[in-house]
């Protein structure tokens, strides 16, 4: 009986690529990782078959994936959009960039959707990391010992409303609200940098703010699902926040048991938002 084809993982930074690879192995699938030079942490990829290739070397990437027998792909891990000067595409990269056309100048959502479409035209099936990391098991409500109080819930609702308005503009996935005041919204800098920035903006004399992360409207979840992990929790605590809320089934939670322990240790809440909460943009 033939074994299932390998799953290719196009790996940016952070621990998620390795976590997807481990999840695949537990399912009896063998991963092969393309680590993007300058972004992926090769030490985390070391336990798995992998190759480090620069981002714009599309020809080398596609040849490697096909040589390894990959028919399915997962795109996971942050990658900063490079400047044109630093891109240096190979011949295949030039061809693919031409096919992307105006999407190169679109926001992240438009570009990622176009990249996925292009990969599928090249014969690959693109899968979401959440299909292997099982976000369907993420529960709604409080995850640890600390629940959000009434003010925290009001701030969560406010942040959800703000992100719902921001989403169609393709701005970011995160927002921090304290006592009804918007301290920060996430843009190109990412969640950790946003938290560092908003730490100096918090109001004295009132309860700390909350971070809400959620996907943008129409976002291509196969390439850019919101993610939180222990580092997010520590950075939220350092910024003086009280907790983090996120759509339970639409968020990649890295090392969930460790996240809960960190949140309990630091006195923060973790709160999984259900569909009823997210559908109510009025309150």
């Amino acid at each position: 009986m033939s074994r299932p084809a390998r799953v290719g993982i196009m790996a940016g930074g952070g621990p998620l690529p390795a976590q997807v690879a481990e999840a695949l192995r537990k399912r009896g699938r063998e991963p092969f990782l393309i680590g993007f030079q300058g972004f992926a942490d090769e030490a985390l990829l070391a336990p798995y078959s992998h190759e480090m290739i620069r981002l714009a070397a599309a020809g080398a990437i596609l040849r490697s994936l096909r040589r390894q027998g990959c028919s399915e792909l997962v795109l996971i891990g942050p990658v900063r959009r490079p400047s044109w000067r630093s891109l240096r595409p190979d011949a295949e990269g030039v061809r693919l960039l031409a096919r992307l056309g105006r999407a190169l100048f679109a926001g992240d959502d438009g570009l990622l959707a176009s990249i996925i479409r292009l990969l599928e035209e090249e014969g690959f099936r693109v899968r979401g990391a959440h299909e292997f990391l099982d976000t369907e098991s993420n529960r709604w409500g409080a995850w640890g010992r600390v629940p959000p109080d009434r003010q925290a819930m009001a701030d969560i609702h406010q942040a959800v409303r703000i992100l719902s308005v921001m989403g169609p503009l393709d701005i970011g996935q995160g927002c921090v609200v304290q006592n009804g005041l918007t301290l920060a919204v996430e843009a190109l800098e990412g969640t950790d940098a946003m938290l560092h920035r908003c730490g100096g903006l918090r109001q004295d004399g009132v309860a700390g703010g909350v971070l809400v992360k959620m996907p943008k409207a129409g976002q291509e979840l196969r390439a850019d699902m919101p993610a939180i992990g222990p580092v997010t929790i520590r950075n939220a605590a350092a910024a003086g926040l009280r907790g983090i809320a996120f759509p339970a089934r639409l968020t990649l939670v890295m090392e969930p048991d460790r996240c809960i322990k960190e949140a309990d240790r630091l006195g923060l809440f973790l709160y999984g938002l259900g569909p009823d909460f997210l559908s109510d943009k009025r309150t």
Side-chain angles (χ1 to χ4, degrees):
M1 186 168 127
S2 62
R3 299 184 65 184
R6 273 184 160 177
V7 178
I9 300 174
M10 300 175 74
L16 277 172
Q19 290 180 22
V20 174
E22 186 60 27
L24 281 163
R25 278 193 173 170
K26 289 178 178 177
R27 293 179 177 219
R29 305 291 302 274
E30 189 60 27
F32 172 72
L33 295 94
I34 297 289
F36 293 128
Q37 292 175 354
F39 301 100
D41 184 343
E42 190 169 10
L44 295 177
L45 309 189
Y48 313 97
S49 179
H50 71 280
E51 187 173 349
M52 301 295 291
I53 303 178
R54 63 186 181 86
L55 185 63
I61 291 170
L62 293 179
R63 285 193 298 273
S64 186
L65 290 169
R66 288 171 175 144
R67 186 169 57 247
Q68 294 293 332
C70 300
S71 59
E72 298 174 298
L73 295 181
V74 177
L75 284 66
I76 187 67
V79 174
R80 294 186 309 276
R81 191 183 295 210
S83 66
W84 280 104
R85 181 173 296 180
S86 64
L87 202 54
R88 297 181 297 111
D90 61 12
E92 184 72 359
V94 170
R95 181 181 73 84
L96 295 180
L97 287 173
R99 286 170 61 187
L100 286 172
R102 295 181 66 180
L104 288 167
F105 306 99
D108 287 346
D109 290 348
L111 178 58
L112 288 170
S114 295
I115 289 172
I116 286 175
R117 184 168 60 250
L118 186 151
L119 289 169
E120 290 181 332
E121 290 171 356
E122 290 292 316
F124 299 99
R125 180 187 176 196
V126 179
R127 305 281 299 273
H130 58 287
E131 298 179 55
F132 302 108
L133 294 177
D134 190 23
T135 61
E136 288 299 310
S137 66
N138 289 351
R139 65 182 182 272
W140 303 330
W143 281 34
R145 293 198 301 263
V146 181
D149 62 16
R150 181 176 297 179
Q151 181 59 57
M153 291 299 289
D155 286 345
I156 291 170
H157 276 286
Q158 176 69 355
V160 168
R161 286 201 300 272
I162 291 166
L163 290 169
S164 298
V165 172
M166 286 172 47
L169 301 176
D170 194 7
I171 294 174
Q173 298 178 336
C175 179
V176 175
V177 174
Q178 182 189 18
N179 199 36
L181 179 67
T182 304
L183 298 188
V185 293
E186 179 185 350
L188 191 61
E189 79 273 35
T191 303
D192 291 336
M194 177 192 67
L195 290 172
H196 179 74
R197 172 165 55 88
C198 78
L201 303 174
R202 65 178 183 259
Q203 306 170 82
D204 295 329
V206 294
V210 303
L211 165 67
V212 173
K213 289 203 69 171
M214 59 183 279
K216 294 168 275 188
Q219 183 170 322
E220 178 50 83
L221 294 177
R222 287 179 292 175
D224 194 24
M225 181 177 274
I228 65 170
V231 172
T232 317
I233 295 164
R234 289 193 291 272
N235 287 338
L241 304 190
R242 306 171 64 195
I244 302 171
F246 50 91
R249 306 292 167 83
L250 298 177
T251 304
L252 298 173
V253 181
M254 296 174 272
E255 303 177 276
D257 291 341
R258 188 177 165 201
C259 283
I260 292 170
K261 288 179 181 177
E262 278 291 278
D264 287 346
R265 179 180 71 84
L266 294 167
L268 272 67
F269 65 78
L270 292 178
Y271 194 83
L273 305 176
D276 293 344
F277 194 110
L278 295 171
S279 66
D280 182 8
K281 308 298 190 301
R282 176 183 55 81
T283 58

